[in-house]
Amino acid sequence: MKFWSVRYKGHVIRVERYAFELRLLVDGELQDAGLADRPLNGVLRNGDGSGEPVKASLVGTFRARCYIFVDHRLVE
């Protein structure tokens, strides 16, 4: 398993990549899962930024990069 993680307004957003599956977790809660060929979607459910949409996309195969967006802005 490989993972990417960012902090945003006190929230932890994490994307996990398994052999053929991606998972999006927000504050430890699984919000979306699927194949790497589509973006994952979620939402900040409580606290600061509540209601803001979360989207994650994986690009590449061997040296994959993960882009995580909150409210349509890249979070680094």
Side-chain angles (χ1 to χ4, degrees):
M1 173 191 58
K2 180 165 175 75
F3 72 90
W4 296 266
S5 182
V6 295
R7 289 188 146 291
Y8 178 81
K9 293 185 178 180
H11 299 277
V12 176
I13 303 166
R14 180 177 167 121
V15 176
E16 299 176 348
R17 181 181 77 176
Y18 295 87
F20 298 103
E21 180 185 26
L22 290 178
R23 295 180 184 174
L24 173 65
L25 296 100
V26 178
D27 296 330
E29 175 189 358
L30 179 64
Q31 292 201 3
D32 198 4
L35 300 177
D37 62 345
R38 70 168 186 88
L40 299 175
N41 295 288
V43 66
L44 299 178
R45 296 204 189 275
N46 53 39
D48 200 14
S50 179
E52 293 183 17
V54 176
K55 182 174 94 171
S57 296
L58 196 67
V59 178
T61 304
F62 298 106
R63 293 182 52 103
R65 293 204 51 190
C66 183
Y67 296 97
I68 299 173
F69 298 86
V70 177
D71 199 23
H72 310 288
R73 292 185 185 95
L74 181 64
V75 178
E76 299 184 277

